[in-house]
Amino acid sequence: MSASSPPRWCIALILALGVLAVSTAAVLVRWGTQGLSTDSFGTTVGFSMLLAAGRLSLAAIFLSPQLFYWPWPDLSDRNLRYALLAGGALAAHFSLWFTSLSYTSVAASTTLVTTTPIWSALISYIWLQQTLKPRTMLGMGIALMGSALIGWGEPTSAAASHPLLGNALALAAAWAVSLYFLWSQRAQATGLHIHRYALIAYSTAAMILLPMPLLLGVSYTGWPRTLYLAIVLLALIPQLVGHTSLNWGVRWLSPTWVTLLVLAEPVAASLFALLLFGEVPALSVIVGGAIVLMGLTISLWPYQRTGSGSNS
């Protein structure tokens, strides 16, 4: 794999683009829901499922022209299975994380979800026999501390009706997204092209999530045009550009390192919110963001590729 892998600058550029793209999700949701009261959402979880199902369904539709090239020469029973599993894990991630927000605070949920690099490292160690260098472990710990500081810096007045349940759901969401990236790596390692993998995974997640809003009493119709435009942009930018770039990245880097990169998402999202909405981040967010970037630098520079035969 290493002989045909892209140059380092190309991998770094695409992953940086992916992180920036996924970081636009929060501001797109904020823009699309401006003027809507929370009472109009029906249920918060149901409305979140509406956004998730919409972005995944549209992303799959945008990728569907690849079906004109059916049958795909690179599709096998093995990589199809991995892609389907990844799609199921992605749907589980959205469902668990969004539901956790109804039972615990945003700070607690966000902090637990950002433990993903730990679980990615453990799964890679158990399944792929990948090891972590002390420098990588140190940087991982520093980045997670910064992420926790960002989460804990939010106001403490948020309601948490069932914190134990909510925290357990957020932790399970972190496990799900760890498996999502690992199965993405396996699907591509067994020969499936990234765009075909994405079509299968996103379609699978969409089919699982599509009934959820209706079951939770939230309709797909009757919303302002701005919200529908926001869902289209969510499909194009965070999903197609962001998630697909990160999924492509796990072919060349371990899932642990890709999930470490995603820790920069709240930093970039805060910057977007500052530029677009004039939201000045709290001091804890600024300090936590600097700590996250320091941890990422320690862990990922210089990096080694998954196919190089070296440890992460």
Side-chain angles (χ1 to χ4, degrees):
M1 182 185 298
S2 60
S4 59
S5 61
R8 291 188 175 189
W9 67 264
C10 181
I11 296 176
L13 179 62
I14 291 176
L15 287 177
L17 178 64
V19 171
L20 287 175
V22 297
S23 302
T24 64
V27 294
L28 286 172
V29 171
R30 173 69 61 83
W31 173 72
T33 56
Q34 281 184 326
L36 291 176
S37 66
T38 54
D39 294 337
S40 66
F41 291 173
T43 64
T44 303
V45 176
F47 183 76
S48 299
M49 293 295 180
L50 168 69
L51 298 176
R55 67 184 266 184
L56 286 164
S57 299
L58 288 176
I61 291 171
F62 291 144
L63 290 169
S64 62
Q66 296 175 94
L67 294 173
F68 292 123
Y69 301 98
W70 187 268
W72 297 335
D74 53 348
L75 183 65
S76 67
D77 289 343
R78 187 181 182 190
N79 56 38
L80 174 61
R81 182 171 64 252
Y82 285 131
L84 291 172
L85 287 170
L90 181 59
H93 168 69
F94 278 127
S95 300
L96 292 165
W97 187 19
F98 290 156
T99 305
S100 76
L101 294 170
S102 295
Y103 298 106
T104 191
S105 68
V106 171
S109 177
T110 303
T111 300
L112 289 169
V113 164
T114 55
T115 61
T116 300
I118 297 175
W119 313 118
S120 293
L122 289 176
I123 294 172
S124 296
Y125 173 76
I126 295 170
W127 191 358
L128 304 177
Q129 288 77 52
Q130 293 180 352
T131 59
L132 291 174
K133 290 184 176 180
R135 184 196 68 229
T136 305
M137 296 177 67
L138 173 64
M140 181 190 301
I142 292 173
L144 287 171
M145 287 172 57
S147 180
L149 181 59
I150 292 173
W152 285 329
E154 294 190 11
T156 57
S157 59
S161 58
H162 296 86
L164 184 60
L165 172 61
N167 293 343
L169 291 170
L171 189 60
W175 298 341
V177 80
S178 300
L179 289 170
Y180 164 61
F181 281 118
L182 182 60
W183 280 324
S184 170
Q185 181 191 58
R186 293 291 86 199
Q188 295 178 77
T190 51
L192 188 60
H193 190 275
I194 178 60
H195 291 151
R196 291 166 184 159
Y197 156 78
L199 174 57
I200 296 171
Y202 298 168
S203 298
T204 302
M207 286 188 289
I208 294 172
L209 291 174
L210 274 172
M212 296 296 185
L214 299 176
L215 293 174
L216 293 168
V218 176
S219 173
Y220 279 100
T221 60
W223 299 99
R225 284 181 291 181
T226 305
L227 179 63
Y228 292 117
L229 178 56
I231 293 175
V232 172
L233 293 175
L234 284 167
L236 289 172
I237 303 174
Q239 195 63 46
L240 279 179
V241 177
H243 270 254
T244 306
S245 297
L246 296 175
N247 277 299
W248 175 85
V250 297
R251 182 175 182 182
W252 314 110
L253 300 176
S254 73
T256 302
W257 285 10
V258 172
T259 53
L260 270 170
L261 282 171
V262 177
L263 289 179
E265 178 184 350
V267 181
S270 297
L271 178 60
F272 287 142
L274 173 63
L275 295 175
L276 297 175
F277 301 114
E279 294 185 4
V280 179
L283 179 61
S284 60
V285 174
I286 297 173
V287 175
I291 293 174
V292 167
L293 295 177
M294 181 175 66
L296 293 177
T297 301
I298 293 172
S299 290
L300 304 176
W301 186 269
Y303 72 83
Q304 295 169 334
R305 306 177 185 189
T306 57
S308 64
S310 323
N311 295 338
S312 297

